[in-house]
Amino acid sequence: VQLQASGGGLVQAGGSLRLSCVASGDTISNYAMGWFRQAPGKEREFVAAASPSGSYTTYGISMKGRFTIARDNAKNTVYLQMNSLNAEDTAVYYCAADLVGQPMVARRVLGEYDYWGRGTQVTVSS
């Protein structure tokens, strides 16, 4: 499966952005999907993940309550709604997929994902 993330940009602190990740080459209905981010000089960190069915989601600690992951399997697309953004959210955001075949499995660990898209830059100005 190939992944293409989009929707990044420049936003003021307190603002919102919605990222999209469109998959091609396979249907994502059997994939756990995740979002990660990497700021300059830092390791890539977990942001959010959703099980193949979308019924189970999990978030990084600093994202919980501000970010929402959602998926539309019919459109082969995963979204990340980001609200109340602050300067610490500035990073390149990547979407990832892992073929799990189980509807309630979500992945939080970077190494568990087999497929990655190119990132999209999010810059939050303070």
Side-chain angles (χ1 to χ4, degrees):
V1 65
Q2 292 80 47
L3 306 173
Q4 179 64 56
S6 63
L10 176 64
V11 63
Q12 288 188 335
S16 299
L17 278 177
R18 187 176 82 155
L19 306 183
S20 299
C21 175
V22 179
S24 60
D26 200 359
T27 175
I28 64 170
S29 57
N30 290 322
Y31 289 79
M33 301 296 295
W35 287 95
F36 290 76
R37 69 185 185 186
Q38 188 165 17
K42 295 187 177 181
E43 294 185 351
R44 195 169 296 189
E45 69 170 331
F46 171 73
V47 174
S51 63
S53 66
S55 57
Y56 177 71
T57 58
T58 183
Y59 297 90
I61 294 175
S62 65
M63 299 82 177
K64 198 169 185 179
R66 300 189 299 126
F67 292 8
T68 303
I69 186 171
R71 58 191 297 161
D72 185 338
N73 288 347
K75 294 183 178 180
N76 243 23
T77 302
V78 179
Y79 305 97
L80 183 69
Q81 177 67 43
M82 305 185 294
N83 299 329
S84 301
L85 287 163
N86 56 62
E88 288 69 41
D89 296 315
T90 295
V92 178
Y93 284 71
Y94 299 88
C95 64
D98 180 41
L99 182 63
V100 295
Q102 301 173 52
M104 292 296 291
V105 173
R107 304 292 196 200
R108 295 174 60 93
V109 178
L110 184 151
E112 293 181 307
Y113 285 89
D114 293 325
Y115 304 95
W116 292 84
R118 292 187 179 183
T120 184
Q121 175 71 48
V122 172
T123 303
V124 183
S125 63
S126 57

